[in-house]
């Protein structure tokens, strides 16, 4: 089965499968009939009959199904069994380069025209249409909104041309080679150095060690059209291809389209056998130390075994579930140790089948400071305990409850799981040579295993997970380590005593142990937003709520609790500790109850405690289910009334902020992640990344002194969107948030309510990074406005930005190949009446900075002087409209649009005109906005250049 991916992000790893519905019709008659669908050959896993499987006479395999989430969309995936591992040494990067050339054009469409056609259909380039090359495959993706039969037919025609007959000409190659080299340049830096070093070290003696997907500058420069075409002919063959289509159309029609555009495809020449990827080899160096000044200390351990194709049977999947539960027990112990003051910030263990190259158990950890040896010893001691002593029945039952909760969530989610996700699951299953299973099958298998989760079976599984043909360790350090090689080898091989102290207590607390709330409140006022079928409530203590019961996401309820004023709660000069809230507040407990005890309290239930700071409010957010709603509300309300002030999470957050700060200098992009928002807000300290010196001044007492009054702020608003009964939800609200002490809304100071855009600059503000010497970021921004009353203009500016972005892509990238990812963004803060901006951004070679600024000025001047064409406007607006229609099928969309609406009814008005604001924009409106905002004398510029490339550049701008 396609196993253990996104479905258990909060539990561990679990079976990722496909949805169930009505059985799909039989495929078209000209396909080969099969008693057992091709994906299930050699397996006893029950076939997911919501999919129709077929094989064309030429060997191409396909899978199609009807899925109307979101309505009207069809998701297409074409997988080619060829990636970086299929390249010869002198072909490195060819698979990825062909992916680029395929999107550029084919015999069916002129150069660059596929992108424009799909934009007219409502496709957003980069998210709806994209491709990915990995070591083992190349996958072409299209999510087609509003997929009429005509649009779908045209799209399959385009994709089939891309796959079968891409335009591999010298001119196309030269243009796309420059773009790929720009991509390589923009992605280079410390993170790529680390990834390459880890891959080369872990897989010494195997093909994967020397295969970077993007290739090398030397092989890319040496590529020619003849050799690229030969690579294409060798691997792009129908027997190496799988077409997956899932969407809002009958399977028989989808299968007919596969036949129509792929049935006549024939491979050229003889097919080639797959290269030998090799087995993990004990030869080589078991330990390695990488010195990279801009990366924090990290340690990676790999326990490697040979990868083999398996018979994907139920018995095999039962063992995977046992393995996953064994790892989850260890991961929980690792987290307990970290919370209790271990020598590491984070540690995680996972089992992965890596690129059909190794069956691996991977350990990653982030030490506190330079304590990498002690941290490694701590983690290995917990592993040593796990392989020596079986878990208790209580340990197993705790994790089984967590798994069961995750499986129920997966089962509940499937009726509204997107077709794109399910198509991707088939792709992943094919890649690792396994199957998919309907969620009911997964649940039946799991529930039938109750007697198999024994301490003895878990111990046996744990021992196998940490046995290996090869074990390797890599340390990354920002500073030179004396005697590094010997110390790293000792960290890997030294004997460690088993640590039994990280095992959890068997005495679990219940909700009765939480601090007590007051007497339940009463409903004071209620009215209905009839057009949206929502209910606004006011409780007797002043808490307001917005309820939207619906079945869009069966079995799920999205909870958003907003309180206080968020970024507007403090003046700009008092914003120095806002950054710490999201790191500490979810972790520092409730009253005297610590976070680990809370985790045990809610184990096996869907109850969450996520915290964030929004422009106008602080927020606790959760995704729960109907049975857990009442206690979910109790937990958040009690957190607000009785926040805990455990010191340990403060120290952990300090260590995290300190260890990661140097990483901001690893590239131009990471410097922007640290400083851009702060600079665009005129150095407002509320958006400043704290320096290590500033972090060092914080302690638990200062954190509590700062955040205690903020946690006590009003007003309070609760939004419940999802599958619940209104009367039951009201009763739960009265007992939780209605029982809180009344909180009066606090006024916002004039200083806190204002966002300022920086003053225009004659010369760019200049910062530096410590990454690659050929990597520079350039930013040009213009001030606009803000406020919900002007939201129509903010949306019109998004359309203007989309047109600007498309011109950057088509000219600055596709034609000039000066940058891989130029971009344009519009920001219109609806909770501030100022501070918005339009911003053009790119990464270029240092010598091309002025070229980017000149090009940006040229685009702005043209938008001022000339109205955009009807076609260009359509290609900007249609993807936005389609994105809105698709997003509106889920509750997250409505929640984000209406947060704050119980206190500001303008949000309802803004939502009501969302679609029309985009639909009614005209060339004249956009030209008017360009004239108003693209004022050259108001532009603000920023350059982030390499330290090694410009000695005059300093970081003094901050």
């Amino acid at each position: 089965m396609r196993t253990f991916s996104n479905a258990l992000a909060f539990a561990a790893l679990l079976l990722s499968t496909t949805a169930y519905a009505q059985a799909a019709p039989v495929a078209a008659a000209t396909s080969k009939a099969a008693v057992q669908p091709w994906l299930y050959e050699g397996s006893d896993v029950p076939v997911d009959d919501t999919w129709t499987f077929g094989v064309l006479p030429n060997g191409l395999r396909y899978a199609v199904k009807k899925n109307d989430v979101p309505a009207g969309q069809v998701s297409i995936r074409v997988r080619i069994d060829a990636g970086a591992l299929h390249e010869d040494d002198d072909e490195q990067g060819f698979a990825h380069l062909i992916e680029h050339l395929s999107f550029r054009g084919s015999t069916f469409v002129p150069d660059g025209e596929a992108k424009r056609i799909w934009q007219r259909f409502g496709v957003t380039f980069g998210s709806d249409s994209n491709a990915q090359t990995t070591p083992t495959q190349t996958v072409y993706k299209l999510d087609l909104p509003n997929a009429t039969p005509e649009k779908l037919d045209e799209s399959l025609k385009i994709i089939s041309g891309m796959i079968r007959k891409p335009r591999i000409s010298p001119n196309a190659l030269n243009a796309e080679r420059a773009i790929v080299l720009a991509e390589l340049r923009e992605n280079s830096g410390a993170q790529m150095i680390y990834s390459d070093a880890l891959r080369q070290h872990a897989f010494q003696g195997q093909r994967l060690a020397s295969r970077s997907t993007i290739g090398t500058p030397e092989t890319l420069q040496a590529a020619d059209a003849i050799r690229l075409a030969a690579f294409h002919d060798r691997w792009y063959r129908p027997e190496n291809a799988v077409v997956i289509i899932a969407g809002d159309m009958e399977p028989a029609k989808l299968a007919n389209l596969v036949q129509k555009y792929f049935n006549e495809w024939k491979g050229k020449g003889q097919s080639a056998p797959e290269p030998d990827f090799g087995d993990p080899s004990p030869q080589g160096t078991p330990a390695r130390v990488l010195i990279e000044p801009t990366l924090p200390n990290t340690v990676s351990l790999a326990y490697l075994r040979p990868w083999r194709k398996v018979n994907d049977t139920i018995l095999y999947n039962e063992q995977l579930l046992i393995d996953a539960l064994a790892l989850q027990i260890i991961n929980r112990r690792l987290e307990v140790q970290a919370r209790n003051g271990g020598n590491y910030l984070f540690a995680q263990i996972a089992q992965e089948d890596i690129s059909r190259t190794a069956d691996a158990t991977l350990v990653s950890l982030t030490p506190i400071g330079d304590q990498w040896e002690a941290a490694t010893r701590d983690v290995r001691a917990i592993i040593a305990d796990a392989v020596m002593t079986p878990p208790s029945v209580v340990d197993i039952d705790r994790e089984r409850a967590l798994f069961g909760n995750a499986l129920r969530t997966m089962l509940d989610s499937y009726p509204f799981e997107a077709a794109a996700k399910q198509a991707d699951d088939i792709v992943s299953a094919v890649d690792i040579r396994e199957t998919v299973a309907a969620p009911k099958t997964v649940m039946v298998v799991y529930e039938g295993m109750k007697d198999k989760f024994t301490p003895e079976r878990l111990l046996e599984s744990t021992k196998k997970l940490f046995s290996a043909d090869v074990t390797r360790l890599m340390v990354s350090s920002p500073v030179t380590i004396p005697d590094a090689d010997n110390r790293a080898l000792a960290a890997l091989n030294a004997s460690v005593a088993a640590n039994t102290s990280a095992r959890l207590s068997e005495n679990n607390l219940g909700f009765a142990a939480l601090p007590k709330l007051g007497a339940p409140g009463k409903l004071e006022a209620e009215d209905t937003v009839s057009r949206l079928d929502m209910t606004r409530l006011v409780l007797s203590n002043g808490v307001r709520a917005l309820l939207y019961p619906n079945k869009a996401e069966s079995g799920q309820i999205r909870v958003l609790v907003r309180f206080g004023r968020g970024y507007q709660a403090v003046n700009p000069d008092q914003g120095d500790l806002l950054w710490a809230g999201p790191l500490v507040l979810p972790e520092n407990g409730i009253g005297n109850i610590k976070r680990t005890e809370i985790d045990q309290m809610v184990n096996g239930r869907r109850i969450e405690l996520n915290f964030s700071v929004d422009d106008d409010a602080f927020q606790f957010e959760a995704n729960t289910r109907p049975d857990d709603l009442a206690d979910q509300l109790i937990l958040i309300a009690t957190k607000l009334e009785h926040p805990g002030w455990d010191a340990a999470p403060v120290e952990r957050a300090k260590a995290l902020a300190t260890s990661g700060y140097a990483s901001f200098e690893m590239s131009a992009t990471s410097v922007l992640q640290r400083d851009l928002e702060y600079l665009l807000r005129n150095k407002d300290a509320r958006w400043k990344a704290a320096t290590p010196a500033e972090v060092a001044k914080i302690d638990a007492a200062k954190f509590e002194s700062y955040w205690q009054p903020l946690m006590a702020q009003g007003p309070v608003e609760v939004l419940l969107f999802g599958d619940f009964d209104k009367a039951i939800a009201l009763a739960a609200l009265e007992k939780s948030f209605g029982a809180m002490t009344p909180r009066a809304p606090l006024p916002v100071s004039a200083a806190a309510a204002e966002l300022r855009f920086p003053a225009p600059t004659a010369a760019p503000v200049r910062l530096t990074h410590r990454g690659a010497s050929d990597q520079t970021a350039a930013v040009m921004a213009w001030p606009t406005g803000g406020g919900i009353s002007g939201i129509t203009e903010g949306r019109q500016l998004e359309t203007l930005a989309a047109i600007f972005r498309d011109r950057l892509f088509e000219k600055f990238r596709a034609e000039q190949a000066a940058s891989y990812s130029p971009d344009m963004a519009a920001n219109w803060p609806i909770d501030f009446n100022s501070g918005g901006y339009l911003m053009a951004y790119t990464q270029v070679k240092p010598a091309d900075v002025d070229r980017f600024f000149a090009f940006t000025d040229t685009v702005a001047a043209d938008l001022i002087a000339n109205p955009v064409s009807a076609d260009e406007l359509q290609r900007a607006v249609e993807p936005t409209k389609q994105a809105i229609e698709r997003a509106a099928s889920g509750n997250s969309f409505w929640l984000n649009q209406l947060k704050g609406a119980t206190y500001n009814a303008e949000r309802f008005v803004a939502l009501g005109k969302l679609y029309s604001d985009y639909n009614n924009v005209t060339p004249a409106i956009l030209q008017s906005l360009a004239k108003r905002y693209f004022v050259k004398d108001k532009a603000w510029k920023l350059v982030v250049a390499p330290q090694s490339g410009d000695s005059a550049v300093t970081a003094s701008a901050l």
Side-chain angles (χ1 to χ4, degrees), residues 428-449:
S428 298
V430 175
D431 189 44
I432 61 174
R433 308 313 199 230
E434 295 186 7
T435 68
V436 296
K440 282 186 176 180
T441 298
V442 180
M443 203 69 187
V444 168
V445 170
Y446 180 73
E447 290 179 346
M449 294 178 60

Side-chain angles (χ1 to χ4, degrees), residues 238-309:
E239 63 269 27
N240 288 343
V242 176
V243 178
I244 303 110
I245 310 178
D248 197 1
M249 190 170 289
E250 291 304 317
K253 294 181 179 178
L254 300 176
N256 286 338
L257 285 171
V258 176
Q259 283 189 348
K260 180 178 179 179
Y261 287 110
F262 290 95
N263 198 53
E264 301 304 318
W265 183 19
K266 292 180 173 58
K268 294 183 179 180
Q270 293 295 317
S271 61
E274 183 170 83
D276 182 3
F277 297 166
D279 288 339
S281 170
Q283 296 180 354
T285 307
R288 176 179 177 178
V289 176
L290 173 70
I291 306 302
E292 176 46 59
T294 61
L295 287 180
N297 284 283
T298 59
V299 179
S300 297
L301 270 161
Y303 299 81
L304 303 175
R305 300 166 291 273
W307 179 88
R308 295 291 183 266
K309 185 182 183 306

Side-chain angles (χ1 to χ4, degrees), residues 243-559:
V243 178
I244 303 110
I245 310 178
D248 197 1
M249 190 170 289
E250 291 304 317
K253 294 181 179 178
L254 300 176
N256 286 338
L257 285 171
V258 176
Q259 283 189 348
K260 180 178 179 179
Y261 287 110
F262 290 95
N263 198 53
E264 301 304 318
W265 183 19
K266 292 180 173 58
K268 294 183 179 180
Q270 293 295 317
S271 61
E274 183 170 83
D276 182 3
F277 297 166
D279 288 339
S281 170
Q283 296 180 354
T285 307
R288 176 179 177 178
V289 176
L290 173 70
I291 306 302
E292 176 46 59
T294 61
L295 287 180
N297 284 283
T298 59
V299 179
S300 297
L301 270 161
Y303 299 81
L304 303 175
R305 300 166 291 273
W307 179 88
R308 295 291 183 266
K309 185 182 183 306
V310 299
N311 289 323
D312 192 12
T313 62
I314 290 176
L315 188 64
Y316 167 74
N317 284 281
E318 287 180 343
Q319 185 58 50
L320 290 182
L321 281 165
I322 291 170
D323 291 346
L325 193 136
L327 289 179
Q328 180 59 25
I329 290 173
I330 303 173
N331 280 325
R332 192 188 287 267
R333 294 173 184 174
L334 290 171
E335 179 62 15
V336 168
Q337 180 75 8
R339 287 174 176 169
N340 291 342
N343 291 297
Y344 58 87
L345 290 168
F346 301 103
Q348 183 75 24
I349 304 176
Q351 185 281 329
E352 293 184 26
D353 291 333
I354 300 176
S355 302
R356 304 203 297 271
T357 293
D359 166 16
T361 303
L362 305 175
V363 183
S364 58
L365 62 102
T366 302
I368 292 177
D370 60 359
Q371 301 176 58
W372 62 271
E373 289 164 298
T376 304
R377 185 168 56 250
D378 283 355
V379 172
R380 291 187 59 224
I382 291 173
I383 294 172
D385 175 46
V387 298
M388 289 176 59
T389 307
S392 68
V393 173
V394 173
D395 281 335
I396 295 170
D397 288 345
R398 182 190 303 118
E399 304 312 324
R400 283 189 62 246
L402 188 66
F403 266 39
N405 174 53
L407 284 169
R408 286 192 300 274
T409 299
M410 183 177 70
L411 189 63
D412 292 342
S413 301
Y414 266 16
F416 51 87
E417 186 173 76
K421 164 67 166 57
Q422 295 177 1
D424 288 336
D425 283 347
I426 294 281
V427 169
S428 298
V430 175
D431 189 44
I432 61 174
R433 308 313 199 230
E434 295 186 7
T435 68
V436 296
K440 282 186 176 180
T441 298
V442 180
M443 203 69 187
V444 168
V445 170
Y446 180 73
E447 290 179 346
M449 294 178 60
K450 291 179 181 178
D451 296 336
K452 298 182 180 180
F453 289 106
T454 64
E456 295 76 20
R457 187 80 181 266
L458 268 292
L459 179 62
E460 179 187 7
S461 169
T462 303
K463 289 180 177 179
K464 288 182 178 178
L465 286 165
F466 291 97
S467 64
D469 294 26
V470 177
T471 304
R472 291 200 167 102
L473 174 143
M474 191 174 92
V475 178
S476 175
S477 170
V479 297
T480 300
I481 300 173
D483 196 24
D485 292 340
N486 288 329
R487 289 168 64 182
L489 192 60
L492 174 63
N493 294 326
S495 298
V496 294
N499 176 8
T500 61
S501 65
R503 294 186 174 224
L504 270 68
S505 165
E506 297 186 3
N507 297 317
N508 293 340
L509 299 174
F511 268 70
L514 290 172
K516 303 304 178 186
L517 295 169
K522 298 296 182 183
L523 178 64
E524 188 170 276
E526 176 180 359
D527 71 293
T528 300
V529 185
S530 57
R531 185 169 60 86
L532 298 173
D533 198 25
M534 297 179 182
T535 303
R536 285 178 290 203
L537 307 175
V538 180
L539 302 181
S540 52
N541 61 353
V543 171
R544 299 187 184 186
L546 183 64
L547 276 56
Y548 182 28
N550 65 84
K551 296 289 187 180
E553 298 170 341
S554 177
Q556 293 195 34
I557 306 167
R558 299 190 184 273
V559 179

Side-chain angles (χ1 to χ4, degrees), residues 634-664:
I634 287 287
L635 190 75
I636 298 177
T638 308
K639 174 73 175 179
L640 286 175
E641 283 286 88
H642 304 283
W645 302 108
D646 184 9
V650 176
E651 294 305 312
R652 194 178 184 189
K654 288 173 59 180
L656 176 63
T658 301
S659 68
Y661 191 82
S663 300
F664 285 127

Side-chain angles (χ1 to χ4, degrees), residues 649 684 793:
D684 189 320
E793 184 169 292

